Amino acid sequence: MNFSNKNRTEKINMMKIQTFDVLIVGGGITGAGIALDAAMRGMKTALIDMQDFAAGTSSRSTKLVHGGLRYLKQFEIKMVAEIGRERTIVYENGPHVTTPERMLLPLHEGGTFGKYTTSAALRVYDFLAGVKQFERRSMLSVSETIKKEPLIKKEGLKGSGYYVEYRTDDARLTIEVIKKAAEKGALCLNYVKADEFHYENGHITGIQAVDQTNGSCFTISAKKVINASGPWVDSVRKKDGGGNGKHLRLTKGVHIVIDESVFPLQQAVYFDTPDKRMVFAIPRDGKTYIGTTDTFYDRDLIRPNVTAEDRTYLLEAVRFMFPSVYVNESNIESSWAGVRPLIYEEGKGPSEISRKDEIWESETGLLTIAGGKLTGYRKMAEMIIDRVAKWFKEEQFILFSPSETKHLPISGGDVGGSAKFPAYVQEKMAVGMEKGFSKKEAEILVNQYGSNVDKLFAHKKENSPLPNVLYAQLMYAIEEEMTYTPADFFIRRISALLFDLKTVLDYKEVCIEIIADYFNWTQAEKEKHMAELEAEIAACS
């Protein structure tokens, strides 16, 4: 059965008749990792999300699998060490969705970082994170710094630190992990909401689910339910009667996108602002994106708002560190806001709250995982499924194997590892060109889809109503990636709404016609999903 909503009825029927070992509520990166870990151990696994996969925080991050350099300032040594190691694992298991990104950390008079403390911090960072020899930090002089990035503020410049982070497409990373979980037997469905819990002898035995596409209700039975719903963690816990006294404190992070013709950044930069916060400016596909803000947030979680104040803050940050770059509100092509589900700590500001993760268990057996970072998703999954496996051993005398995800390529990651990926790209580019794609088109597809690229090459169509790459991406997304709406496709499968708005505006009608035809939508359904996309366009632009 293809991983497609074309088979939605059959998938729901399968959910109705089975009793799962584990049911995960939440299809962001944490839930995806949990589903994969559980399925790999042989647990009968289901995952649901009331929206599309990765529609929450996992498509709204800074899009970095980073090692947490900033957490050294807060002396969170254990976190830096763990997520630093996990960063390498994420890269090795999915080099098609994770790319090394050299990062410049400029040092200025009066800034947050001094030259010697930065050198020491980066050295400790390399050690804790197990950074490879050729990726380890170096300290650059003033002239070397300016050569790396001529736009950097020169007044008071003392040099810079130069180190490696990893850039990712957060939503694509999430969908690739979910696809791998499905390949290993997990039953995963988007647009299914957990409405209420079912109990037997005071223990949760499943949920009442609602299919968000048509409003129908059905029961999903499970021996263990895991709440991995990110910003909605507390809402799900309330359905179970409350919590353990701990709760989330949500903060909002905003990013803006500017065309490279206005902001021609050639080097990713991590810099401190006048208010002593840290901000990234990163070049990507002909654009430069800047973020992030860090403010408390308690409003709309489905579509967090980007305020004029948010935009002004980031524009002022650009003007501060890149004084020769003239940017204003009209230069912002798109923007996005994400909500961080952090664990509440009394008296701490937005940037001070720890990004650590915790597991909470209710009296009814509901397991909740809260906090954490995208980089640490695999380790978080291992930790909570270790706990589930222990429960099965002690309560039901069932043994499950240890975690097997550390060296497991995610979907698209069967390319021989990161070192062999460049050669794999060259090999597959030749295949794509034989299929009729241009060299550039083939290169784009291989780099984005890795070992799944042959399925996209199969969608080469003469006289396509869409550009070759876009048509292949769309058909693959609806046949193999559970895409159901045009917003799913443009936002979370190809990120065009964020980094290529022109493509969305030029081809949205054609794409909607193709999707509508594939799913046999009525005119009313087509208009509904077009309105959803228009609302997303308005929100980001």
Side-chain angles (χ1 to χ4, degrees):
M1 185 182 292
N2 283 2
F3 194 53
S4 169
N5 266 299
K6 188 81 166 179
N7 308 312
R8 187 174 185 84
T9 301
E10 292 91 330
K11 288 182 170 66
I12 288 176
N13 286 338
M14 290 171 66
M15 280 192 167
K16 289 178 181 178
I17 64 175
Q18 299 184 62
T19 296
F20 294 95
D21 295 318
V22 179
L23 168 63
I24 299 126
V25 178
I29 189 61
T30 303
I34 294 168
L36 178 55
D37 194 291
M40 285 298 296
R41 299 193 200 205
M43 295 181 186
K44 189 177 291 186
T45 304
L47 177 147
I48 60 170
D49 195 294
M50 67 177 182
Q51 303 181 88
D52 183 28
F53 304 129
T57 305
S58 296
S59 60
R60 300 170 179 271
S61 73
T62 305
K63 307 187 186 301
L64 290 174
V65 179
H66 65 86
L69 175 63
R70 58 170 286 193
Y71 306 123
L72 277 181
K73 291 174 63 179
Q74 300 168 348
F75 300 102
E76 297 200 49
I77 305 301
K78 183 179 178 182
M79 177 184 289
V80 173
E82 185 169 283
I83 65 177
R85 290 191 294 267
E86 285 299 311
R87 180 182 70 169
T88 301
I89 294 170
V90 174
Y91 177 43
E92 287 301 321
N93 290 341
H96 62 303
V97 287
T98 313
T99 306
E101 181 82 59
R102 288 281 178 180
M103 194 72 61
L104 193 70
L105 180 64
L107 309 173
H108 286 87
E109 294 285 351
T112 303
F113 294 95
K115 192 168 186 177
Y116 297 108
T117 55
T118 297
S119 178
L122 288 174
R123 189 181 296 274
V124 171
Y125 179 73
D126 284 348
F127 172 75
L128 291 173
V131 175
K132 299 171 185 175
Q133 181 71 38
F134 65 90
E135 290 185 350
R136 290 181 183 171
R137 71 97 178 95
S138 58
M139 299 301 295
L140 305 183
S141 67
V142 171
S143 60
E144 289 171 326
T145 300
I146 294 172
K147 186 176 181 180
K148 291 290 183 186
E149 183 44 70
L151 297 175
I152 209 85
K153 182 173 69 170
K154 298 170 183 64
E155 181 182 353
L157 183 64
K158 299 189 298 181
S160 63
Y162 199 49
Y163 68 105
V164 169
E165 294 285 20
Y166 289 77
R167 180 163 52 87
T168 190
D169 184 320
D170 48 5
R172 284 220 57 80
L173 173 62
T174 301
I175 193 66
E176 298 290 35
V177 175
I178 288 179
K179 283 157 61 182
K180 192 66 173 185
E183 177 190 320
K184 297 300 180 181
L187 190 51
C188 306
L189 263 177
N190 48 5
Y191 297 104
V192 174
K193 183 178 182 179
D195 197 40
E196 61 183 55
F197 291 106
H198 290 174
Y199 301 87
E200 186 175 308
N201 298 323
H203 185 86
I204 291 177
T205 58
I207 64 164
Q208 181 79 4
V210 180
D211 183 348
Q212 300 292 83
T213 70
N214 58 23
S216 64
C217 298
F218 61 99
T219 296
I220 307 175
S221 299
K223 297 172 185 176
K224 269 293 177 183
V225 177
I226 298 175
N227 173 15
S229 55
W232 290 270
V233 151
D234 286 343
S235 298
V236 173
R237 292 168 75 210
K238 284 179 182 177
K239 297 177 187 291
D240 185 41
N244 58 357
K246 292 193 174 184
H247 60 277
L248 296 185
R249 188 64 162 110
L250 306 180
T251 68
K252 183 181 72 172
V254 170
H255 300 78
I256 58 175
V257 179
I258 297 172
D259 191 77
E260 66 177 0
S261 63
V262 177
F263 188 0
L265 191 71
Q266 65 184 38
Q267 163 71 59
V269 181
Y270 185 39
F271 62 96
D272 53 350
T273 61
D275 61 347
K276 306 304 180 184
R277 287 200 63 257
M278 298 300 296
V279 168
F280 289 98
I282 301 172
R284 171 174 168 165
D285 301 331
K287 311 293 178 183
T288 297
Y289 71 97
I290 306 99
T292 177
T293 60
D294 204 355
T295 54
F296 287 130
Y297 185 75
D298 59 2
R299 301 186 190 90
D300 180 14
L301 298 185
I302 290 179
R303 191 178 293 130
N305 66 318
V306 177
T307 66
E309 185 179 4
D310 295 326
R311 291 176 177 229
T312 297
Y313 178 87
L314 292 173
L315 288 171
E316 288 179 350
V318 172
R319 298 185 195 111
F320 170 73
M321 188 51 61
F322 309 96
S324 63
V325 176
Y326 300 100
V327 291
N328 55 46
E329 181 80 19
S330 67
N331 298 130
I332 300 175
E333 291 191 355
S334 61
S335 60
W336 72 89
V339 177
R340 307 178 191 92
L342 308 180
I343 299 167
Y344 177 76
E345 295 180 72
E346 181 71 35
K348 290 198 173 182
S351 297
E352 298 172 311
I353 299 177
S354 174
R355 269 55 174 171
K356 66 185 178 183
D357 54 81
E358 290 187 18
I359 297 173
W360 307 327
E361 185 165 9
S362 72
E363 293 180 357
T364 63
L366 176 67
L367 282 171
T368 293
I369 187 160
K373 293 183 61 59
L374 180 148
T375 309
Y377 84 88
R378 191 205 65 84
K379 194 66 179 177
M380 291 167 65
E382 179 181 317
M383 181 173 61
I384 197 166
I385 295 301
D386 278 348
R387 187 158 173 167
V388 171
K390 182 180 178 182
W391 180 85
F392 273 108
K393 179 182 178 181
E394 294 176 350
E395 299 294 329
Q396 301 201 3
F397 308 105
I398 301 172
L399 294 178
F400 289 104
S401 63
S403 177
E404 299 179 18
T405 60
K406 187 173 183 178
H407 303 292
L408 178 72
I410 60 176
S411 182
D414 291 302
V415 297
S418 63
K420 295 182 178 179
F421 187 50
Y424 183 89
V425 171
Q426 294 300 315
E427 175 189 333
K428 285 297 182 180
M429 282 172 59
V431 175
M433 291 166 68
E434 289 176 4
K435 298 284 187 180
F437 289 90
S438 71
K439 182 178 181 180
K440 182 63 176 176
E441 290 169 342
E443 183 179 23
I444 289 170
L445 291 175
V446 184
N447 275 307
Q448 288 184 356
Y449 294 90
S451 57
N452 289 320
V453 74
D454 287 331
K455 293 182 178 180
L456 286 102
F457 288 159
H459 287 295
K460 179 67 175 70
K461 181 179 180 180
E462 297 300 323
N463 303 316
S464 167
L466 296 171
N468 288 332
V469 168
L470 190 63
Y471 182 76
Q473 289 174 318
L474 177 60
M475 297 311 299
Y476 180 72
I478 58 180
E479 291 183 359
E480 303 281 353
E481 295 191 327
M482 291 296 287
T483 293
Y484 187 67
T485 75
D488 297 345
F489 176 63
F490 283 121
I491 301 173
R492 290 171 289 277
R493 301 302 183 273
I494 65 170
S495 297
L497 194 66
L498 305 182
F499 297 103
D500 189 8
L501 188 57
K502 185 177 185 301
T503 288
V504 181
L505 298 177
D506 287 349
Y507 297 108
K508 60 184 179 180
E509 285 86 1
V510 177
C511 287
I512 288 173
E513 288 296 332
I514 291 172
I515 298 171
D517 183 62
Y518 185 84
F519 290 118
N520 298 315
W521 284 345
T522 64
Q523 184 62 31
E525 287 174 315
K526 191 191 306 184
E527 291 173 359
K528 172 190 172 185
H529 294 306
M530 173 61 97
E532 290 170 351
L533 179 60
E534 294 292 356
E536 294 288 359
I537 293 171
C540 87
S541 57

